[in-house]
Amino acid sequence: MTGLWVLMATLVAAVAAGVLLRARNGRVRAAKPAAPARALPGPVTAVLDPAVAVTLVQISTTFCAPCRHAKAVLGPLAERTDGLRHVELDVTNQPEVARSLSVLRTPTTIALTPDGRELLRVGGVPKGPDLLAALRPHLTTRTS
């Protein structure tokens, strides 16, 4: 009988964890305003363009299936939005980049200003309309 209770508790915990992860996937989180500015790793500063208001840096790995979905959302969004650029950064062979950015999962998308200030981040596949709404104060958009 104890085994049955353990099995039931495990199932309940697994379902609760699944629901929580699903709810957090793709959620836009604003950068913490009180967070101290940190130096960005070289590969990230290299992709920042001073002529673009916001650069979406997508942290990916080689065998990440959701990373391809994130790229399919972010690429077209950046193409049709003035002041927005999308760059995919594969950290498979450079985990220190992910570590220095406090990235715990891929894909993670970080919106950065030209001077490297973090505006927001999204863990998982972003929802295009939610991301665009959060970025709207920082850029000008064309009609989609």
Side-chain angles (χ1 to χ4, degrees), residues 11-143:
L11 286 173
V12 168
V15 168
V19 168
L20 179 65
L21 286 174
R22 185 178 191 109
R24 294 186 67 188
N25 189 39
R27 190 182 78 200
V28 176
R29 291 181 300 143
K32 297 175 183 142
R38 62 176 164 220
L40 294 173
V44 176
T45 55
V47 299
L48 293 178
D49 183 353
V52 177
V54 178
T55 300
L56 297 175
V57 179
Q58 177 188 335
I59 307 298
S60 301
T61 53
T62 303
F63 298 107
C64 168
C67 294
R68 291 188 289 276
H69 296 288
K71 184 177 182 180
V73 170
L74 296 173
L77 183 68
E79 287 174 7
R80 70 177 184 264
T81 306
D82 287 332
L84 187 63
R85 179 174 180 230
H86 169 247
V87 177
E88 186 176 13
L89 189 60
D90 188 333
V91 296
T92 302
N93 296 320
Q94 42 191 351
E96 66 280 355
V97 172
R99 192 171 24 260
S100 69
L101 293 171
S102 301
V103 171
L104 300 176
R105 66 184 282 200
T106 57
T108 292
T109 305
I110 304 172
L112 298 168
T113 62
D115 63 355
R117 186 172 49 91
E118 183 175 329
L119 299 172
L120 55 89
R121 69 173 51 205
V122 180
V125 178
K127 296 170 182 78
D130 294 346
L131 181 59
L132 194 55
L135 290 173
R136 195 160 315 238
H138 305 285
L139 46 84
T140 307
T141 59
R142 291 182 255 186
T143 46

